[in-house]
């Protein structure tokens, strides 16, 4: 296995994730509202007559930006890909938020153009993309470092294959756990609604539990990175 193989995987994952995030973004309430503002401007007739072309141009420009970040092949470039994807994905999260955040910006009700399952699948893709890009760059760095020390090709292959196996396992487990949480969340919420409603401050109790869980997860994560 050569590092070129990893670079190809990185390119495919980066481009696919940005493409899906961009396609999702152009179907959000916030994006449509911004287009309505443009339609009401002096450029309105041209914008209204070329909406499909504008959407396509935006998607291609965003994918090109992601490809440019990938070409750098470093952690900074991959961080930009992740930030770009999350920025594109964020409006779709607002559409399905229980609080009308979009209404704080514009006076309108969320009317998403994609289903909540679509949003979940794209979010899962972005999560998998983050994991893959983060670990493939580590694999490449390990390969280059060991190669510089004079390691032989078979040894490099074995180490890289072991790291790829770990990455595959981590990605699959992450996807399964995330999917499990997605499907179980409504059931848990329904089951917890009655007990929490009996508390004087149910939102405070739930908030403390969530913050404590996030804090514990962060501690375990930081210890694992050390």
């Amino acid at each position: 296995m050569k590092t070129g193989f990893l670079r190809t995987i990185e390119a495919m994952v980066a481009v696919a994730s940005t493409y899906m995030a961009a396609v999702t973004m152009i179907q959000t309430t916030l994006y449509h509202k911004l287009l309505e503002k443009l339609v009401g401007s002096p450029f309105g007739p041209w914008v209204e007559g070329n909406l499909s072309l504008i959407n396509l141009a935006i998607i291609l420009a965003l994918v090109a930006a992601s490809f440019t970040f990938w070409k750098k092949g470093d952690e900074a470039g991959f961080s930009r890909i992740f930030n770009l994807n999350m920025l594109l994905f964020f409006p779709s999260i607002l559409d399905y938020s229980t609080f009308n955040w979009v209404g704080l910006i514009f006076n309108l009700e969320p009317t998403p153009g994609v289903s909540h399952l679509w949003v979940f699948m794209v979010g899962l893709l972005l999560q998998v993309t983050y994991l893959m890009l983060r670990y493939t760059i580590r694999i490449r760095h390990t390969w280059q470092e060991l190669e510089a020390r004079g390691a032989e090709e078979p040894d490099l292959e074995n180490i890289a294959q072991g790291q790829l196996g770990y990455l595959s396992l981590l990605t699959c487990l992450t996807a399964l756990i995330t999917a499990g949480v997605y499907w179980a969340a409504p059931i848990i919420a329904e089951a917890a609604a009655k007990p929490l409603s009996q508390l004087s401050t149910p939102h405070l109790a739930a908030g403390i539990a969530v913050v404590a869980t996030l804090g514990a997860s962060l501690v375990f994560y930081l210890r694992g990175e050390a």
Side-chain angles (χ1 to χ4, degrees):
M1 184 197 72
K2 299 294 185 180
T3 54
F5 172 72
L6 290 177
R7 292 291 286 152
T8 302
I9 294 178
E10 291 170 356
M12 294 172 61
V13 170
V15 169
S17 62
T18 302
Y19 172 78
M20 292 303 299
V23 169
T24 303
M25 184 269 297
I26 65 173
Q27 300 181 75
T28 59
T29 306
L30 188 58
Y31 178 78
H32 288 163
K33 184 62 178 181
L34 293 175
L35 281 183
E36 289 179 8
K37 294 289 184 180
L38 288 177
V39 170
S41 69
F43 302 99
W46 183 87
V47 172
E48 195 169 9
N50 296 276
L51 284 179
S52 298
L53 183 61
I54 292 173
N55 291 338
L56 179 60
I58 290 175
I59 292 174
L60 292 178
L62 292 170
V63 170
S66 179
F67 185 79
T68 301
F69 297 149
W70 164 82
K71 284 186 65 177
K72 295 183 178 181
D74 55 10
E75 293 184 7
F78 289 170
S79 294
R80 292 188 179 97
I81 293 174
F82 178 72
N83 293 335
L84 174 63
N85 289 345
M86 291 307 298
L87 182 63
L88 298 175
F89 185 59
F90 189 63
S92 64
I93 299 177
L94 295 182
D95 276 348
Y96 282 100
S97 174
T98 54
F99 183 81
N100 186 10
W101 292 98
V102 179
L104 296 178
I105 306 173
F106 299 110
N107 185 23
L108 77 165
E109 290 295 323
T111 54
V114 294
S115 66
H116 61 86
L117 180 60
W118 174 287
V119 174
F120 164 73
M121 294 301 295
V122 174
L124 183 59
L125 173 62
L126 300 188
Q127 186 178 19
V128 169
T129 298
Y130 172 77
L131 286 174
M132 293 191 68
L133 294 182
R134 180 184 178 190
Y135 279 92
T136 52
I137 194 172
R138 290 186 178 183
I139 296 173
R140 286 194 288 111
H141 286 170
T142 301
W143 179 290
Q144 293 166 359
E145 182 179 349
L146 293 177
E147 190 175 37
R149 293 181 180 180
E152 297 182 355
E153 186 78 14
D155 295 330
L156 294 174
E157 291 280 353
N158 291 334
I159 293 173
Q161 289 176 5
Q163 290 177 313
L164 281 176
Y166 172 76
L167 174 58
S168 300
L169 177 62
L170 179 63
T171 302
C172 291
L173 287 177
T174 299
L176 289 174
I177 293 173
T178 305
V181 171
Y182 171 77
W183 292 111
I187 301 175
I188 296 174
E190 184 178 354
K194 186 175 181 179
L196 287 176
S197 63
Q198 298 175 356
L199 300 176
S200 57
T201 54
H203 293 85
L204 180 60
I208 292 175
V210 170
V211 171
T213 303
L214 290 176
S217 301
L218 180 60
V219 170
F220 283 120
Y221 172 77
L222 293 177
R223 286 184 176 180
E225 289 291 305

